Amino acid sequence: MPQMSMIEAIRDAMDVKMGQDDDVVVYGEDVGYFGGVFRCTHGLQKKYGKHRVFDSPINESGIVGTAIGMGAYGLRPCIEIQFADYIYPAYDQIVSEAARLRYRSNKDFTAPITIRTPCGGGIFGGQTHSQSPESLFTHVSGVKTVIPSNPYDAKGLLIASIEDNDPVIFFEPKRLYNGPFDGHHDRPASNWSKHPLGDVPEGHYTVPIGKASVFSEGKDVTILTYGTMVFVAEAAKKETGIDAEIIDLRTLMPLDVDTIVESVKKTGRCMVLHEATLTSGFGAELSAQVQERCFYHLEAPVVRVCGFDTPYPHAQEWDYFPGPARVGRELKAMMEAV
């Protein structure tokens, strides 16, 4: 089985779908000849031509708006917003048009578009290249929100997203593009060639949207997380010796509530972990779901470990980033709670 980085797996997913379906088109800022700022589309224009893989103006609202029109016409655009921090100018098109099109047309039209965008920090990108705005989209009815944590899931989920008949926001944690990251920035970087989740099958396969993964089984506490924080949680589990069950949500909307409930009822404790800011982050929704559905099984309050309520700092990145030390402290405190 081939070994792939997340970049290669994402590129392979687009390659597979473009080879299968002439209606799939790929475009965005610098994605054509240049192959994307992270090279996720490298070689696709040469293979499929400039009419199917092309560069757009620097206009996020225009990128998404034209994709909605293409989707209503019958195409399947897979577009790129260069950084998640730049997606805000397109928010009105996503919320008011793409998300509502099926409903407002009584299913006469749909918006089968996939919006890829790199998210998160850990690369010294500062406040304008490190944001995690996923909760802004989980609040919108009609949009699906996906965040893979590894190459295998990235390829399968991206193929499933392109095949979906409704709009999907596909967040790509850029710190994971080339390898898993456990939050220890002062240690040598690892790559996907040394990790089993870097084994990516050739050809077509899908990972179902709306289904979480039990990343690591445990009995003491449940950690609900996604993206880069999956590997931070794994590091904290190893360093504290606490037998945590790590749930990689993979999809935030639709949310796999059944897997969450099953795990929390088993462990009796729950931590919610994400890189985005604390207040009104998706962790608040997860905490509410656990409280409503698992109240009588909880042995301690639900704990959130998140980014702070501040713009993503450049000089103090590793103070902001929820690393294994902070996660580990909270895990120990949870286990001591009666």
Side-chain angles (χ1 to χ4, degrees):
M1 187 178 298
Q3 287 276 341
M4 294 186 189
S5 68
M6 191 179 287
I7 291 171
E8 292 167 331
I10 289 166
R11 182 191 307 138
D12 195 42
M14 289 185 279
D15 189 10
V16 167
K17 287 310 302 176
M18 294 189 80
Q20 290 180 338
D21 186 352
D22 290 341
D23 289 334
V24 176
V25 296
V26 172
Y27 65 99
E29 297 165 15
D30 297 322
V31 306
Y33 177 80
F34 189 63
V37 69
F38 293 104
R39 302 299 189 269
C40 289
T41 56
H42 177 69
L44 293 181
Q45 186 182 80
K46 183 177 181 180
K47 183 172 183 178
Y48 294 103
K50 295 180 180 179
H51 64 295
R52 293 186 65 196
V53 183
F54 52 90
D55 297 325
S56 72
I58 302 174
N59 184 337
E60 286 77 17
S61 179
I63 294 169
V64 175
T66 54
I68 295 168
M70 290 180 182
Y73 183 74
L75 300 178
R76 289 188 178 272
C78 180
I79 58 177
E80 179 181 303
I81 302 297
Q82 197 170 81
F83 288 89
D85 314 63
Y86 304 162
I87 203 167
Y88 306 118
Y91 195 69
D92 180 50
Q93 288 289 337
I94 295 169
V95 174
S96 301
E97 304 298 337
R100 311 287 192 240
L101 188 57
R102 176 190 290 274
Y103 182 85
R104 72 191 297 183
S105 70
N106 195 26
K107 298 186 289 187
D108 285 342
F109 298 98
T110 60
I113 67 175
T114 302
I115 304 173
R116 295 180 39 251
T117 188
C119 66
I123 65 163
F124 294 103
Q127 63 178 346
T128 57
H129 296 81
S130 304
Q131 296 175 52
S132 298
E134 61 271 9
S135 66
L136 298 179
F137 299 95
T138 60
H139 187 66
V140 179
S141 300
V143 174
K144 297 175 182 176
T145 308
V146 175
I147 308 183
S149 68
N150 59 78
Y152 177 87
D153 285 349
K155 179 179 175 180
L157 283 167
L158 184 53
I159 290 175
S161 298
I162 295 171
E163 293 177 349
D164 199 284
N165 288 325
D166 289 305
V168 179
I169 313 295
F170 193 89
F171 287 104
E172 300 167 4
K174 49 187 171 293
R175 181 65 210 224
L176 299 182
Y177 269 151
N178 293 305
F181 178 60
D182 62 7
H184 289 291
H185 64 280
D186 52 347
R187 298 179 183 177
S190 58
N191 58 62
W192 287 112
S193 65
K194 301 176 182 178
H195 197 284
L197 289 172
D199 294 336
V200 179
E202 295 179 334
H204 182 278
Y205 71 92
T206 60
V207 172
I209 294 174
K211 182 62 179 175
S213 168
V214 180
F215 182 84
S216 177
E217 293 186 349
K219 59 179 175 51
D220 291 339
V221 57
T222 296
I223 302 178
L224 304 178
T225 190
Y226 50 88
T228 306
M229 292 296 109
V230 170
F231 300 97
V232 173
E234 182 183 41
K237 174 179 179 176
K238 291 178 180 177
E239 292 166 17
T240 61
I242 294 172
D243 191 18
E245 180 152 287
I246 302 169
I247 305 297
D248 181 357
L249 297 176
R250 302 196 293 196
T251 303
L252 305 188
M253 191 59 63
L255 181 64
D256 185 359
V257 175
D258 291 343
T259 296
I260 293 171
V261 170
E262 181 179 355
S263 178
V264 175
K265 285 184 176 180
K266 178 177 73 171
T267 66
R269 291 177 171 85
C270 180
M271 171 184 286
V272 176
L273 172 62
H274 61 61
E275 189 178 344
T277 50
L278 174 71
T279 302
S280 298
F282 191 66
E285 174 64 25
L286 293 171
S287 298
Q289 291 282 352
V290 171
Q291 180 79 358
E292 291 170 8
R293 299 170 185 270
C294 307
F295 180 80
Y296 291 106
H297 295 267
L298 290 173
E299 299 178 20
V302 178
V303 171
R304 288 182 290 164
V305 180
C306 311
F308 299 123
D309 290 337
T310 177
Y312 208 112
H314 188 278
Q316 289 81 35
E317 176 153 23
W318 303 116
D319 296 316
Y320 177 96
F321 189 91
R326 197 193 326 168
V327 175
R329 286 195 301 269
E330 294 296 335
L331 282 173
K332 292 177 181 177
M334 292 178 71
M335 296 309 298
E336 293 169 0
V338 177

Short mmCIF file of all heavy atoms in Angstrom, two decimals, residues 99-125:
data_model
loop_
_atom_site.label_atom_id
_atom_site.label_comp_id
_atom_site.label_asym_id
_atom_site.label_seq_id
_atom_site.Cartn_x
_atom_site.Cartn_y
_atom_site.Cartn_z
N ALA A 99 -25.84 27.03 1.42
CA ALA A 99 -26.50 26.25 2.46
C ALA A 99 -28.01 26.20 2.27
O ALA A 99 -28.66 25.25 2.70
CB ALA A 99 -26.17 26.84 3.83
N ARG A 100 -28.58 27.22 1.63
CA ARG A 100 -30.04 27.33 1.54
C ARG A 100 -30.61 26.86 0.21
O ARG A 100 -31.83 26.77 0.06
CB ARG A 100 -30.46 28.79 1.74
CG ARG A 100 -29.85 29.49 2.93
CD ARG A 100 -30.43 29.02 4.24
NE ARG A 100 -30.03 29.90 5.32
CZ ARG A 100 -29.34 29.50 6.39
NH1 ARG A 100 -28.99 28.24 6.50
NH2 ARG A 100 -29.03 30.35 7.34
N LEU A 101 -29.76 26.57 -0.77
CA LEU A 101 -30.25 26.37 -2.13
C LEU A 101 -31.21 25.20 -2.24
O LEU A 101 -32.26 25.31 -2.89
CB LEU A 101 -29.06 26.18 -3.08
CG LEU A 101 -29.40 26.14 -4.57
CD1 LEU A 101 -30.13 27.40 -5.00
CD2 LEU A 101 -28.12 25.96 -5.39
N ARG A 102 -30.88 24.07 -1.64
CA ARG A 102 -31.77 22.92 -1.70
C ARG A 102 -33.13 23.25 -1.06
O ARG A 102 -34.19 22.94 -1.62
CB ARG A 102 -31.14 21.72 -0.99
CG ARG A 102 -32.05 20.49 -0.93
CD ARG A 102 -31.48 19.42 -0.03
NE ARG A 102 -30.30 18.80 -0.60
CZ ARG A 102 -30.33 17.79 -1.45
NH1 ARG A 102 -31.50 17.30 -1.85
NH2 ARG A 102 -29.22 17.25 -1.91
N TYR A 103 -33.09 23.90 0.09
CA TYR A 103 -34.32 24.20 0.83
C TYR A 103 -35.19 25.21 0.09
O TYR A 103 -36.39 25.00 -0.09
CB TYR A 103 -33.94 24.72 2.22
CG TYR A 103 -35.10 25.03 3.12
CD1 TYR A 103 -35.69 24.02 3.88
CD2 TYR A 103 -35.62 26.32 3.21
CE1 TYR A 103 -36.76 24.30 4.72
CE2 TYR A 103 -36.68 26.61 4.04
CZ TYR A 103 -37.25 25.60 4.80
OH TYR A 103 -38.31 25.88 5.63
N ARG A 104 -34.57 26.31 -0.35
CA ARG A 104 -35.35 27.40 -0.93
C ARG A 104 -35.88 27.04 -2.31
O ARG A 104 -36.86 27.64 -2.78
CB ARG A 104 -34.51 28.67 -1.01
CG ARG A 104 -33.42 28.64 -2.05
CD ARG A 104 -32.45 29.80 -1.91
NE ARG A 104 -33.09 31.09 -2.10
CZ ARG A 104 -32.44 32.25 -2.07
NH1 ARG A 104 -31.13 32.25 -1.81
NH2 ARG A 104 -33.07 33.37 -2.28
N SER A 105 -35.27 26.04 -2.98
CA SER A 105 -35.76 25.63 -4.30
C SER A 105 -36.61 24.36 -4.23
O SER A 105 -36.97 23.81 -5.28
CB SER A 105 -34.56 25.38 -5.24
OG SER A 105 -33.84 24.22 -4.86
N ASN A 106 -36.90 23.92 -3.00
CA ASN A 106 -37.68 22.68 -2.83
C ASN A 106 -37.03 21.51 -3.57
O ASN A 106 -37.69 20.72 -4.24
CB ASN A 106 -39.13 22.86 -3.29
CG ASN A 106 -40.04 21.75 -2.80
OD1 ASN A 106 -39.76 21.13 -1.77
ND2 ASN A 106 -41.11 21.49 -3.52
N LYS A 107 -35.71 21.44 -3.46
CA LYS A 107 -34.88 20.36 -4.02
C LYS A 107 -34.74 20.41 -5.55
O LYS A 107 -34.23 19.47 -6.14
CB LYS A 107 -35.38 18.98 -3.57
CG LYS A 107 -35.33 18.76 -2.08
CD LYS A 107 -35.68 17.35 -1.68
CE LYS A 107 -37.16 17.07 -1.88
NZ LYS A 107 -37.54 15.73 -1.33
N ASP A 108 -35.19 21.49 -6.17
CA ASP A 108 -34.99 21.62 -7.61
C ASP A 108 -33.50 21.83 -7.93
O ASP A 108 -33.02 21.42 -8.99
CB ASP A 108 -35.81 22.78 -8.17
CG ASP A 108 -37.28 22.45 -8.26
OD1 ASP A 108 -37.63 21.25 -8.22
OD2 ASP A 108 -38.09 23.39 -8.36
N PHE A 109 -32.80 22.52 -7.02
CA PHE A 109 -31.37 22.79 -7.20
C PHE A 109 -30.61 22.40 -5.94
O PHE A 109 -31.15 22.47 -4.83
CB PHE A 109 -31.12 24.27 -7.52
CG PHE A 109 -31.75 24.74 -8.78
CD1 PHE A 109 -32.97 25.41 -8.75
CD2 PHE A 109 -31.15 24.51 -10.01
CE1 PHE A 109 -33.57 25.85 -9.91
CE2 PHE A 109 -31.74 24.95 -11.18
CZ PHE A 109 -32.95 25.62 -11.13
N THR A 110 -29.37 22.02 -6.13
CA THR A 110 -28.49 21.74 -4.99
C THR A 110 -27.15 22.44 -5.24
O THR A 110 -26.90 22.96 -6.32
CB THR A 110 -28.25 20.23 -4.81
OG1 THR A 110 -27.65 19.69 -6.00
CG2 THR A 110 -29.55 19.49 -4.52
N ALA A 111 -26.32 22.43 -4.22
CA ALA A 111 -24.98 23.01 -4.33
C ALA A 111 -23.95 21.96 -3.97
O ALA A 111 -23.42 21.95 -2.86
CB ALA A 111 -24.86 24.23 -3.43
N PRO A 112 -23.65 21.04 -4.90
CA PRO A 112 -22.69 19.96 -4.61
C PRO A 112 -21.25 20.46 -4.71
O PRO A 112 -20.49 20.06 -5.59
CB PRO A 112 -23.02 18.93 -5.69
CG PRO A 112 -23.48 19.74 -6.85
CD PRO A 112 -24.21 20.92 -6.26
N ILE A 113 -20.88 21.35 -3.79
CA ILE A 113 -19.56 21.96 -3.84
C ILE A 113 -18.75 21.56 -2.61
O ILE A 113 -19.31 21.37 -1.53
CB ILE A 113 -19.64 23.50 -3.94
CG1 ILE A 113 -20.21 24.11 -2.67
CG2 ILE A 113 -20.49 23.90 -5.15
CD1 ILE A 113 -20.22 25.63 -2.66
N THR A 114 -17.46 21.44 -2.79
CA THR A 114 -16.54 21.16 -1.68
C THR A 114 -15.58 22.34 -1.58
O THR A 114 -14.95 22.72 -2.56
CB THR A 114 -15.75 19.86 -1.93
OG1 THR A 114 -16.68 18.77 -2.09
CG2 THR A 114 -14.82 19.57 -0.75
N ILE A 115 -15.51 22.91 -0.38
CA ILE A 115 -14.64 24.05 -0.14
C ILE A 115 -13.49 23.60 0.75
O ILE A 115 -13.66 23.40 1.95
CB ILE A 115 -15.41 25.21 0.53
CG1 ILE A 115 -16.62 25.60 -0.33
CG2 ILE A 115 -14.49 26.40 0.75
CD1 ILE A 115 -17.54 26.62 0.34
N ARG A 116 -12.33 23.41 0.15
CA ARG A 116 -11.13 23.01 0.89
C ARG A 116 -10.44 24.25 1.44
O ARG A 116 -10.33 25.26 0.76
CB ARG A 116 -10.13 22.28 -0.01
CG ARG A 116 -10.56 20.95 -0.57
CD ARG A 116 -9.45 20.36 -1.45
NE ARG A 116 -8.14 20.60 -0.85
CZ ARG A 116 -7.23 21.46 -1.35
NH1 ARG A 116 -7.47 22.14 -2.44
NH2 ARG A 116 -6.08 21.64 -0.72
N THR A 117 -9.92 24.14 2.67
CA THR A 117 -9.18 25.26 3.22
C THR A 117 -8.27 24.82 4.37
O THR A 117 -8.72 24.10 5.26
CB THR A 117 -10.13 26.40 3.67
OG1 THR A 117 -9.38 27.55 4.02
CG2 THR A 117 -11.03 25.98 4.81
N PRO A 118 -7.00 25.20 4.35
CA PRO A 118 -6.08 24.86 5.45
C PRO A 118 -6.41 25.68 6.70
O PRO A 118 -6.71 26.87 6.60
CB PRO A 118 -4.70 25.26 4.89
CG PRO A 118 -4.89 25.42 3.42
CD PRO A 118 -6.30 25.85 3.23
N CYS A 119 -6.34 25.04 7.85
CA CYS A 119 -6.71 25.70 9.09
C CYS A 119 -5.69 25.41 10.19
O CYS A 119 -4.83 24.54 10.05
CB CYS A 119 -8.10 25.25 9.55
SG CYS A 119 -8.16 23.50 10.03
N GLY A 120 -5.81 26.14 11.29
CA GLY A 120 -5.02 25.87 12.47
C GLY A 120 -3.63 26.47 12.46
O GLY A 120 -3.16 27.00 11.46
N GLY A 121 -2.98 26.37 13.62
CA GLY A 121 -1.67 26.97 13.81
C GLY A 121 -0.56 25.94 13.91
O GLY A 121 -0.63 24.86 13.35
N GLY A 122 0.45 26.35 14.65
CA GLY A 122 1.62 25.48 14.82
C GLY A 122 2.66 25.66 13.74
O GLY A 122 3.60 24.87 13.65
N ILE A 123 2.51 26.72 12.91
CA ILE A 123 3.49 26.94 11.83
C ILE A 123 4.05 28.37 11.87
O ILE A 123 4.63 28.82 10.90
CB ILE A 123 2.86 26.66 10.45
CG1 ILE A 123 1.74 27.67 10.16
CG2 ILE A 123 2.35 25.23 10.35
CD1 ILE A 123 1.34 27.73 8.71
N PHE A 124 3.84 29.06 12.98
CA PHE A 124 4.25 30.45 13.13
C PHE A 124 3.60 31.33 12.07
O PHE A 124 4.23 32.21 11.50
CB PHE A 124 5.78 30.58 13.08
CG PHE A 124 6.46 29.92 14.24
CD1 PHE A 124 7.08 28.70 14.09
CD2 PHE A 124 6.45 30.52 15.50
CE1 PHE A 124 7.70 28.07 15.17
CE2 PHE A 124 7.07 29.90 16.57
CZ PHE A 124 7.70 28.68 16.42
N GLY A 125 2.31 31.10 11.84
CA GLY A 125 1.57 31.87 10.86
C GLY A 125 0.94 33.13 11.42
O GLY A 125 0.42 33.95 10.65
#
